[in-house]
Amino acid sequence: MYKLFRRFLFLLPAEASHDLALFSLSMANKIGLLNLIKTKNINTPATVMGIEFPNKVGLAAGLDKNGKHIHALSKFGFGFVEIGTVTPLAQPGNPKPRLFRIPKARAIINRMGFNNHGIDNLIQNVNLAKDAGFDGVLGINIGKNLDTSVDDAVNDYLIGLRQAYFYADYITVNISSPNTPGLRSLQYGEELDSLLSMIKAEQMSLSLEFKKYVPIAIKVAPDLSDDEVKGVAESLLANNMDALIATNTTLDKKVVEDLTHGDEPGGLSGEPVRDMSTRVIAEFHKYLKDQIPIIGVGGIASAADAKAKLDAGAALVQVYSGLIYEGPGLVKQILKVIN
Ligand SMILES: Cc1cc2nc3c(=O)[nH]c(=O)nc-3n(C[C@H](O)[C@H](O)[C@H](O)COP(=O)(O)O)c2cc1C
């Protein structure tokens, strides 16, 4: 069924088909069609970051940037849904076209640039999803506005943290999008240490104010050398972070450069990032061991791909590009095999 729908969707420009798919999904949910999907019986719960997840497979950030489709997406059987990246203020993102499929490599290049309606709108959507009956685990992924300089980025993260704190089960600090100039520089050395220590201090004060502890995950790029992984891991440990999300998209596009759209600027996801991200997870796991859990993401398009991430040390996994190519049945397919 999805294969037929995909054939139609792939005739449209990538972003138009993406919007249409999400719109159709919400409509299908409204008329009760998604209730026909049965995944509850194959859930295997896992406790990570102190949260009980119904299962280990989540939706990665970026598909539902404004949190408008949380309830519908959760019906695919995800153990958790991560929305965003959201910035303090609404912003349009980069000019279109900015999303490209590369079917021959089962890959996607995007340079969306954090297009979103701002955090106030996202919170309204979270409330609507909860009113509509969503009671699953929700991650809110926060970033900085394009107009905020990298030197002032921490202010945007602190705004995001404060606004999202009450509504999120966990919050992801995204410092690895390749489409916001300079953002990835926050992954290194003193800049990272200072960012994480300020985030930790704010988390502690919010936990007293709201009388609830909301864990914070840091999302990194797959383009880190072994030395850089070690540096990030030391900083995460020193600042008592709650989780790592590895990884975002890659800037290494050698394997697709000869394919249509393979030379588009932006981050590459899907199959080409799969092994890079698994390597980074394994490398991080050497340092983080059981102290800081890892959420593994990058190129998962089968149960075997998910299992490889878990075997490399991930406690949970997320999918994005694999859903575009394999369809929503991918979640169930993975859940049948992993435990
Ligand atoms: C179109 C698109 C938009 C994305 N937007 C975001 C985003 O806003 N924030 C984020 O943290 N990651 C974003 N990502 C990265 C994904 O969450 C994921 O980390 C990455 O694509 C690797 O996983 P995959 O190969 O399963 O897609 C985006 C990915 C794609 C393809």
Side-chain angles (χ1 to χ4, degrees):
M1 168 103 158
Y2 178 74
K3 279 205 177 123
L4 207 68
F5 188 45
R6 188 185 67 184
R7 203 182 285 172
F8 166 68
L9 285 178
F10 275 27
L11 294 173
L12 302 172
E15 193 166 345
S17 71
H18 173 111
D19 293 345
L20 177 66
L22 285 175
F23 174 77
S24 317
L25 182 69
S26 282
M27 284 298 130
N29 189 36
K30 275 207 177 108
I31 60 171
L33 266 183
L34 300 184
N35 293 334
L36 302 175
I37 307 175
K38 294 254 180 297
T39 40
K40 285 221 156 64
N41 52 341
I42 43 175
N43 279 347
T44 316
T47 302
V48 180
M49 304 184 270
I51 302 169
E52 183 157 330
F53 290 78
N55 68 60
K56 294 179 182 169
V57 183
L59 174 68
L63 185 68
D64 189 7
K65 290 193 188 260
N66 298 304
K68 218 175 155 206
H69 308 280
I70 302 170
H71 193 224
L73 286 163
S74 70
K75 301 268 173 83
F76 291 159
F78 288 114
F80 57 114
V81 172
E82 188 169 316
I83 57 173
T85 295
V86 65
T87 52
L89 301 175
Q91 60 177 30
N94 287 320
K96 293 179 188 176
R98 53 194 179 179
L99 179 62
F100 306 88
R101 285 182 299 257
I102 310 175
K104 283 200 171 122
R106 299 188 91 69
I108 292 173
I109 289 180
N110 92 83
R111 52 169 179 276
M112 305 300 284
F114 290 169
N115 55 308
N116 77 99
H117 298 156
I119 189 127
D120 289 342
N121 172 270
L122 177 135
I123 299 300
Q124 282 172 15
N125 288 334
V126 170
N127 283 328
L128 289 174
K130 292 188 176 174
D131 289 348
F134 172 76
D135 63 353
V137 177
L138 183 71
I140 300 182
N141 179 311
I142 58 173
K144 78 160 193 75
N145 276 114
L146 179 67
D147 290 344
T148 304
S149 71
V150 174
D151 288 345
D152 292 334
V154 65
N155 297 331
D156 278 11
Y157 287 112
L158 294 180
I159 292 171
L161 200 56
R162 271 182 229 127
Q163 303 265 93
Y165 198 85
F166 181 74
Y167 303 92
D169 291 301
Y170 73 91
I171 294 173
T172 301
V173 173
N174 180 5
I175 48 171
S176 50
S177 167
N179 301 313
T180 296
L183 194 79
R184 285 186 169 194
S185 66
L186 296 171
Q187 295 179 117
Y188 310 108
E190 272 176 28
E191 270 169 285
L192 178 64
D193 258 331
S194 123
L195 176 72
L196 296 189
S197 69
M198 284 195 254
I199 282 175
K200 190 74 205 177
E202 186 67 22
Q203 179 195 31
M204 295 326 287
S205 112
L206 290 167
S207 70
L208 292 176
E209 189 180 328
F210 288 101
K211 300 195 174 35
K212 97 173 191 174
Y213 182 84
V214 178
I216 294 177
I218 306 298
K219 183 162 179 180
V220 296
D223 308 303
L224 297 172
S225 68
D226 288 357
D227 277 351
E228 288 165 346
V229 165
K230 184 167 185 270
V232 175
E234 283 168 358
S235 195
L236 294 174
L237 288 163
N239 290 289
N240 282 314
M241 285 298 131
D242 301 291
L244 170 82
I245 303 191
T247 68
N248 213 311
T249 56
T250 179
L251 283 172
D252 180 354
K253 283 172 269 179
K254 274 197 291 293
V255 293
V256 294
E257 67 190 3
D258 294 330
L259 301 175
T260 310
H261 298 312
D263 58 351
E264 289 288 348
L268 175 68
S269 59
E271 197 176 287
V273 82
R274 183 187 58 203
D275 296 345
M276 295 174 76
S277 116
T278 306
R279 179 197 72 80
V280 166
I281 291 165
E283 196 60 28
F284 265 110
H285 189 62
K286 282 193 342 206
Y287 304 103
L288 302 179
K289 299 206 174 70
D290 294 329
Q291 295 179 72
I292 298 182
I294 300 171
I295 302 176
V297 49
I300 296 177
S302 69
D305 296 341
K307 200 168 173 306
K309 295 266 189 294
L310 296 170
D311 290 346
L316 303 166
V317 293
Q318 290 177 324
V319 294
Y320 187 152
S321 303
L323 273 187
I324 310 295
Y325 285 100
E326 304 301 323
L330 175 64
V331 182
K332 205 167 173 179
Q333 189 193 319
I334 297 173
L335 288 176
K336 275 186 191 155
V337 176
I338 62 163
N339 47 45

